[in-house]
């Protein structure tokens, strides 16, 4: 399922009944995708799954052999429905143990005994797991082999993910050009440009002032190919008297 | 993977490289979940997959036997990367044909011959498919057996989905209560309340004025059980001198 053999691949498991029920809008997939892309890791597939232990075990075991990395979000808090650590331990057939580094961090915040005992649930990790730093000062995430377990709350996830250094491959780049014509107007050109330049060309419609417009996105490991393909798009539009917007390339924004 | 045997189940296939690359934020899953829930259909799982024909075929065929409904979003536009109809036809081993109702709607908008020919790609559906109305006046979506193919653009998806009447089961309800204590403070109570009331209890942390708070969500087919469980949560918090916010039940909002 890898889209390109030169990049490392990842699978994201979004764990949470609240996403499947529609109560919560997932915001983590996009953040993870953008963060990993800069390290040369592409997301091949993402699954949104419920808080059900057997389901989590099944997906962790199925995906960890198919991808360079598996990243999970959600289910590492202190309540009964936080079963990610337990489920990943079961997937790896290792015991769930208390990690003393996390436990110590939790104990450093004073609270009642009852609350502390519940919080200490967040110190459970699968035996053999390493820790993922949490820059908010809260409990850590963890990883075991190629499976990385992080929080579901976007603010906390964003305090964990940037601390991880993945071994990525060649970075997949993209360049985008807004053209002020509809997708159908330029469809034949795009197909041809994709084939001739050996790049991946996507088109995403939008409307501006009542007119159908298109964002053309070109993806490749090779920046030169992207620029060449975008130039071809530009010519195809301008040579027939239509107009374009600016070119935006990801490697110029970062 | 069904969470409850009394509701119908659905799987959502979000088809699109732009979601996996992080270029586009998916907004459809939450909308679909909320819309289906009101008809007694629960989403068991959702998969975000790339614009790759073999992958789409694989997922369509694997999921359509496991769920009452499969809903796809994305890939039904006029360009070369819009391969959903073709892939679903291949999954069902039927030819891709031009649907005259869609073709007629497309022809009703005047344009150049080239653009029209590209737009007519959107009239391709698998043989035997029925149509999903598109209230924007644009091309229709389609369904074949229990697989429903809709647009990826949220505005267009939202003009298609409400026109479909699913045969759902008993509606799963939810009630929510904000409590002004952290998750760990109330974790033991929630576990007990879930068990005693045979409901599903979820807890979702948020911060207000620097204080950790929790939204407690109770789900059940039985509204009385939800109200009883929420009452228990309320008592657990107030009897120890802490405060709560309002109760919100989905059946009172619609």
């Amino acid at each position: 399922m890898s889209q390109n053999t030169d990049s490392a691949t990842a699978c994201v498991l979004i764990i949470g009944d609240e996403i499947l029920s529609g109560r919560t809008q997932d915001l983590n997939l996009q953040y993870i995708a953008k963060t990993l892309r800069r390290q040369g890791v592409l997301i091949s597939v993402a699954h949104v799954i419920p808080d059900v232990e057997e389901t989590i075990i099944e997906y962790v075991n199925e995906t960890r052999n198919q991808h360079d990395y598996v990243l999970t979000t959600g289910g590492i808090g202190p309540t009964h429905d936080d079963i990610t650590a337990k489920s990943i331990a079961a997937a790896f057939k290792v015991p769930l143990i208390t990690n003393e580094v996390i436990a110590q961090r939790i104990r450093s915040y004073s609270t009642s005994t009852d609350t502390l005992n519940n919080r200490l649930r967040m110190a459970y990790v699968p035996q053999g797991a390493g820790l993922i730093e949490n820059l908010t000062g809260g409990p850590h995430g963890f990883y075991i082999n190629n499976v990385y377990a992080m929080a579901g709350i976007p603010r906390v996830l964003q305090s964990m993910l940037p601390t991880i250094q993945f071994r990525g491959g060649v970075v997949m780049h993209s360049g985008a050009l807004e053209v002020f014509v509809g997708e159908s107007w330029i469809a034949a050109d795009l197909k041809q440009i994709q084939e001739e330049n050996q790049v991946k060309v996507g088109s995403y419609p939008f409307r501006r002032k009542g007119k159908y417009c298109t964002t053309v996105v070109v993806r490749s490991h090779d920046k030169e190919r992207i620029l060449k393909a975008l130039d071809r798009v530009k010519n195809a539009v301008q040579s027939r008297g239509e107009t374009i917007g600016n070119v935006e390339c990801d490697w110029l924004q970062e």
Side-chain angles (χ1 to χ4, degrees), chain A:
Chain A
M1 219 174 285
S2 165
Q3 289 171 49
N4 197 303
T5 49
D6 295 332
S7 290
T9 66
C11 167
V12 177
L13 299 181
I14 299 165
I15 301 171
D17 289 351
E18 72 279 17
I19 310 289
L20 291 171
S21 74
R23 167 162 289 274
T24 304
Q25 167 67 52
D26 170 68
L27 297 171
N28 292 327
L29 180 59
Q30 184 176 38
Y31 175 81
I32 294 171
K34 287 181 171 177
T35 305
L36 293 193
R37 190 180 50 69
R38 289 192 284 266
Q39 298 192 32
V41 182
L42 294 182
I43 299 179
S44 306
V45 68
H47 307 288
V48 188
I49 62 176
D51 300 323
V52 174
E53 185 171 336
E54 311 85 77
T55 307
I56 300 171
I57 294 172
E58 179 193 325
Y59 274 89
V60 167
N61 279 335
E62 198 180 306
T63 57
R64 67 190 175 97
N65 295 315
Q66 295 173 346
H67 306 275
D68 296 316
Y69 298 105
V70 174
L71 286 78
T72 76
T73 68
I76 64 168
T79 62
H80 65 279
D81 58 343
D82 290 305
I83 56 171
T84 298
K86 187 183 167 200
S87 305
I88 293 178
F92 280 90
K93 296 191 168 56
V94 298
L96 196 64
I97 61 164
T98 294
N99 180 286
E100 278 308 319
V101 174
I102 309 182
Q104 209 170 338
R105 182 174 283 188
I106 291 170
R107 286 196 198 95
S108 73
Y109 295 87
S110 72
T111 186
S112 72
T113 309
D114 278 358
T115 298
L116 177 66
N117 285 339
N118 287 322
R119 281 191 192 154
L120 284 171
R121 279 177 57 93
M122 295 190 277
Y124 289 137
V125 299
Q127 193 170 62
L131 297 189
I132 300 172
E133 189 47 80
N134 176 348
L135 301 173
T136 68
H140 303 65
F142 65 86
Y143 65 93
I144 176 164
N145 289 12
N146 62 338
V147 179
Y148 291 73
M150 291 174 292
I153 302 170
R155 188 179 59 86
V156 183
L157 178 110
Q158 291 172 24
S159 301
M160 291 180 169
L161 187 62
T163 71
I164 308 170
Q165 179 62 52
F166 296 97
R167 276 173 304 173
V170 181
V171 176
M172 186 71 145
H173 286 293
S174 71
L177 172 66
E178 289 185 351
V179 298
F180 302 130
V181 294
E183 276 193 299
S184 303
W185 190 94
I186 200 171
D189 301 283
L190 297 183
K191 185 164 192 270
Q192 199 185 347
I193 290 168
Q194 167 164 297
E195 285 160 7
E196 284 177 11
N197 293 275
Q198 292 176 283
V199 292
K200 195 145 194 182
V201 179
S203 64
Y204 308 103
F206 67 97
R207 288 182 83 159
R208 185 169 294 166
K209 295 177 185 167
K211 185 170 160 66
Y212 284 100
C213 305
T214 308
T215 303
V216 177
V217 178
V218 180
R219 294 189 187 89
S220 171
H221 296 296
D222 184 337
K223 296 172 188 172
E224 291 305 316
R225 282 194 193 168
I226 293 175
L227 292 174
K228 206 175 145 194
L230 288 176
D231 217 49
R232 288 268 288 108
V233 176
K234 190 176 151 185
N235 289 340
V237 174
Q238 291 181 328
S239 67
R240 280 175 279 165
E242 298 286 347
T243 53
I244 60 162
N246 289 328
V247 172
E248 285 188 6
C249 296
D250 60 13
W251 64 91
L252 299 176
Q253 294 167 7
E254 286 157 17

